[in-house]
Amino acid sequence: MRKLLNTLYVMTPETYLSLENENVVVMKDDDILGKIPLHTLEQIVYFGYKGASPSLMGACAARQIGLCFYRPSGRFLARVVGTTWGNVLLRKEQYRRSDDKTLSCNIARYFIVGKIFNARGVLERAKRDHPLNVDVEAIKEVSSSLLHLAREARECRDLDSLRGCEGEAASLYFSVFDTLILQNKKVFYFEQRRKRPPTDPVNALLSFAYTVLANDCASALESVGLDAYVGFLHRDRPGRTSLALDLMEELRSIYADRFVLTLLNNRKLNAGHFEQQENGAVLLNDKGRKIFLTDWQERKKDLITHPFLAEKIPWGLVPFVQAQLLARVLRGDLDEYPAFLWK
């Protein structure tokens, strides 16, 4: 089993990353802020604008260490990808199925079944754990509808119908999302999903969580030899990691949404951790991102029993295991993709 190593998050925009004797060196002007051994890292996520040295990028690529660049605001810019590991026949099969919408749907529907099932699980858990604080009747109604939509998605034979099920399920799920926020409702409230740009703190947190999760999924896919840019549900678009977006669908609610709710309900964040841009966008500031990413890294260490493997693994390895299972489907070792169904 793959080991869960550390992710280095560099959140000071003025820093520059370089390589010195197998160590990542984080520098600000002429000052060294830290040195971290490469062999302890799984990936490096950099929020800034000065970048990294070619020698460091080459070392990361050679060692299959993910190196991802983001704007200070959290917008994804680029990933350094080294030599592709894995059978070329695996990728050829991935491309063949992606080009065929029927074959694509045969895989994509399991991503959406998992997404709807897990969204329902989040609501059921909230109803069970906080019956006096949430709108139980509204959750019951939505939960029943989601169960029906999950069954409907399981029978979809074309991508348009599947997207219809997914869109309806997402709308229902987010219609009761606000009731899951139990603390500081004057600041943290949810009316509807707003992405580009997020215009309130909760949407800012969700968008940031999805960005980080998509990066984790892209790294997992590349590590098993798949092309993160060629998807089945999400079609090809230059610069978009479509397969990573596919893979993360089943993990959005249980991995990202629940993490955001935990931060809010445990009062880890407040209004002072956000800033509003001139275009109306609300984003996490440096202090907010530090709290978010520190807790995200700790969350990845929590153990969970994988429903298909029946083994205990850290949460942080779930995208990697799902990527492995997807590769096995494309190789013909499994008949159907086993979505991660959280219980």
Side-chain angles (χ1 to χ4, degrees):
M1 173 61 71
R2 176 190 175 102
K3 289 185 178 180
L4 179 65
L5 300 179
N6 296 313
T7 298
L8 172 63
Y9 294 100
V10 182
M11 293 172 284
T12 305
E14 301 84 6
T15 54
Y16 180 76
L17 307 183
S18 61
L19 180 68
E20 179 184 302
N21 299 326
E22 300 297 306
N23 294 305
V24 181
V25 180
V26 183
M27 300 188 66
K28 183 178 180 182
D29 298 325
D30 295 327
D31 298 326
I32 296 177
L33 302 184
K35 291 185 179 181
I36 302 93
L38 272 178
H39 73 269
T40 66
L41 298 176
E42 187 169 46
Q43 63 176 330
I44 302 168
V45 180
Y46 173 80
F47 295 86
Y49 45 81
K50 287 194 173 181
S53 70
S55 59
L56 176 62
M57 290 190 281
C60 289
R63 293 162 178 76
Q64 297 296 302
I65 298 172
L67 177 54
C68 303
F69 296 94
Y70 291 78
R71 295 188 188 279
S73 64
R75 182 179 178 183
F76 174 77
L77 289 175
R79 295 174 62 244
V80 172
V81 179
T83 303
T84 299
W85 299 98
N87 192 334
V88 65
L89 299 179
L90 173 63
R91 289 205 173 197
K92 289 182 71 175
E93 179 63 16
Q94 177 189 353
Y95 301 148
R96 184 180 73 85
R97 295 203 194 190
S98 178
D99 285 339
D100 187 310
K101 290 187 177 181
T102 300
L103 294 177
S104 290
C105 187
N106 290 342
I107 295 176
R109 66 187 179 200
Y110 293 104
F111 297 136
I112 299 307
V113 169
K115 177 178 183 176
I116 299 173
F117 181 91
N118 290 333
R120 180 175 181 268
V122 169
L123 299 182
E124 288 293 322
R125 176 68 66 90
K127 184 182 70 175
R128 184 168 65 250
D129 291 350
H130 306 285
L132 301 179
N133 301 103
V134 301
D135 190 338
V136 173
E137 291 305 315
I139 288 177
K140 281 183 179 179
E141 184 176 346
V142 170
S143 179
S144 176
S145 298
L146 290 178
L147 181 60
H148 173 75
L149 284 168
R151 291 169 177 165
E152 188 176 327
R154 177 67 177 80
E155 302 302 320
C156 283
R157 293 295 182 268
D158 66 86
L159 291 174
D160 288 339
S161 298
L162 187 62
R163 292 190 185 100
C165 286
E166 188 274 336
E168 185 176 352
S171 178
L172 286 168
Y173 168 71
F174 281 122
S175 72
V176 293
F177 192 78
D178 184 66
T179 193
L180 307 184
I181 303 171
L182 308 178
Q183 302 290 338
N184 200 2
K185 294 298 288 276
K186 289 183 178 180
V187 175
F188 299 113
Y189 55 87
F190 184 87
E191 295 176 344
Q192 66 182 49
R193 183 74 179 105
R194 297 187 178 97
K195 308 175 187 178
R196 301 180 184 88
T199 56
D200 60 79
V202 177
N203 272 297
L205 286 169
L206 290 174
S207 292
F208 190 65
Y210 296 156
T211 297
V212 177
L213 179 57
N215 171 63
D216 288 349
C217 288
S219 296
L221 290 164
E222 296 285 351
S223 72
V224 302
L226 291 169
D227 189 336
Y229 289 85
V230 179
F232 301 109
L233 177 67
H234 294 83
R235 309 311 291 172
D236 296 349
R237 181 184 298 174
R240 181 171 75 175
T241 53
S242 296
L243 189 58
L245 297 180
D246 285 355
L247 189 69
M248 71 178 280
E249 289 292 359
E250 63 202 89
L251 303 177
R252 283 180 185 266
S253 59
I254 54 171
Y255 204 119
D257 296 358
R258 290 189 74 239
F259 175 78
V260 167
L261 290 169
T262 298
L263 287 180
L264 298 181
N265 292 336
N266 288 344
R267 293 183 175 270
K268 290 290 188 75
L269 296 170
N270 56 51
H273 292 120
F274 298 84
E275 58 186 31
Q276 187 163 8
Q277 307 293 302
E278 291 183 359
N279 64 351
V282 174
L283 304 172
L284 278 165
N285 59 25
D286 289 346
K287 290 183 179 179
R289 283 196 297 272
K290 183 176 182 179
I291 293 171
F292 183 105
L293 293 171
T294 299
D295 280 32
W296 181 271
Q297 187 67 13
E298 288 302 311
R299 167 68 166 159
K300 290 166 72 172
K301 299 175 184 177
D302 291 347
L303 294 178
I304 187 171
T305 300
H306 193 281
F308 182 76
L309 302 180
E311 295 180 12
K312 283 190 176 296
I313 62 171
W315 261 114
L317 286 185
V318 170
F320 176 76
V321 171
Q322 294 307 115
Q324 282 187 318
L325 293 173
L326 178 58
R328 292 182 64 185
V329 172
L330 295 175
R331 291 192 183 99
D333 298 332
L334 290 174
D335 293 333
E336 296 178 339
Y337 172 73
F340 185 90
L341 303 179
W342 181 66
K343 297 179 180 179

